[in-house]
Amino acid sequence: MRGLKKPEKNLKKGLAFLWGRKYTRDTRWDKVEDKCTLMEESGEEVRTLGSITGTYARALDAKDRLMLPAKLQDDLGAECYLTMGIDRCLALYPESSWQVFTEKFASLPISQSRKMRPLFANAVKCRPDSQGRITVPARLKTYAGIAKDVAIIGVHNRAEIWDAETWNQSDEEMTPERMAQLMEDMDY
């Protein structure tokens, strides 16, 4: 393991928040195989997170199976969770991201956790088959308006699965000016 070369302070704060940890200037970070790892003072690993990126065009087969790109299979690991996403898409979480998500859910008061029932009721644990395929349940296809062709996009800690036509209509062209505005809006 080798130490990260001064990661951005905002990134460290954001990851510490995501993982339910308090950020201090003494927080130790390590970089292993292109993944950022938050370490306890004892040297115990707290969380490791690689970033899921890219855009992939795919199609469901006749049995509603979706072949995941090899790169995405590596990012997602042996088991992942498929559930409803925001903006009429599906979210595919690697097990480590799903665990962070469920830990946050478990800390909510019961009055707030009720709102999350549909998300958990419609979630499925996936283990890609030997050809890298997962089955997309009918209720999730309906939720996301998926017919056959899909766009799979990486969104940091998860992948989103969109109906291809819906994604192409909503995908805004990125310009240098738009990127600068987005970075400014996020205080970068």
Side-chain angles (χ1 to χ4, degrees):
M1 271 193 270
R2 62 180 198 260
L4 286 175
K5 294 179 182 177
K6 296 184 181 182
E8 293 291 329
K9 186 176 181 181
N10 288 339
L11 175 63
K12 290 200 292 189
K13 282 183 175 181
L15 288 172
F17 173 77
L18 176 68
W19 295 330
R21 300 291 177 165
K22 183 175 180 178
Y23 169 79
T24 67
R25 62 187 172 110
D26 297 322
T27 303
R28 188 172 139 217
W29 298 83
D30 288 321
K31 184 174 170 120
V32 182
E33 298 177 10
D34 296 327
K35 294 184 180 188
C36 193
T37 304
L38 177 61
M39 307 294 282
E40 291 284 9
E41 287 180 25
S42 65
E44 182 180 332
E45 183 179 304
V46 177
R47 294 272 191 259
T48 300
L49 183 66
S51 190
I52 298 173
T53 59
T55 302
Y56 310 91
R58 292 289 188 267
L60 297 179
D61 67 13
K63 295 181 179 179
D64 291 335
R65 295 176 298 194
L66 175 63
M67 183 176 289
L68 300 174
K71 169 73 172 99
L72 192 57
Q73 290 178 49
D74 291 342
D75 291 339
L76 292 170
E79 292 183 336
C80 52
Y81 292 83
L82 179 64
T83 191
M84 299 181 300
I86 55 173
D87 298 327
R88 248 181 104 84
C89 68
L90 303 179
L92 189 58
Y93 291 90
E95 190 164 18
S96 58
S97 293
W98 184 255
Q99 292 307 320
V100 170
F101 186 76
T102 57
E103 287 168 11
K104 284 185 176 266
F105 172 76
S107 69
L108 293 174
I110 191 82
S111 60
Q112 290 181 4
S113 67
R114 286 185 188 139
K115 297 173 187 173
M116 300 299 286
R117 282 182 183 155
L119 179 89
F120 285 95
N122 289 292
V124 292
K125 188 174 190 175
C126 301
R127 180 179 288 263
D129 66 15
S130 62
Q131 295 180 3
R133 299 174 300 193
I134 60 169
T135 300
V136 179
R139 66 185 178 277
L140 290 178
K141 277 181 55 185
T142 301
Y143 170 82
I146 294 172
K148 180 178 173 116
D149 295 327
V150 300
I152 305 171
I153 62 167
V155 187
H156 180 58
N157 68 338
R158 70 186 182 281
E160 290 181 347
I161 303 170
W162 289 76
D163 172 71
E165 187 176 330
T166 303
W167 173 252
N168 292 333
Q169 289 173 358
S170 67
D171 186 25
E172 298 178 34
E173 183 179 334
M174 186 57 67
T175 63
E177 296 80 17
R178 182 160 156 58
M179 180 55 105
Q181 183 62 49
L182 287 172
M183 297 302 281
E184 184 178 317
D185 291 347
M186 295 188 308
D187 294 327
Y188 275 96

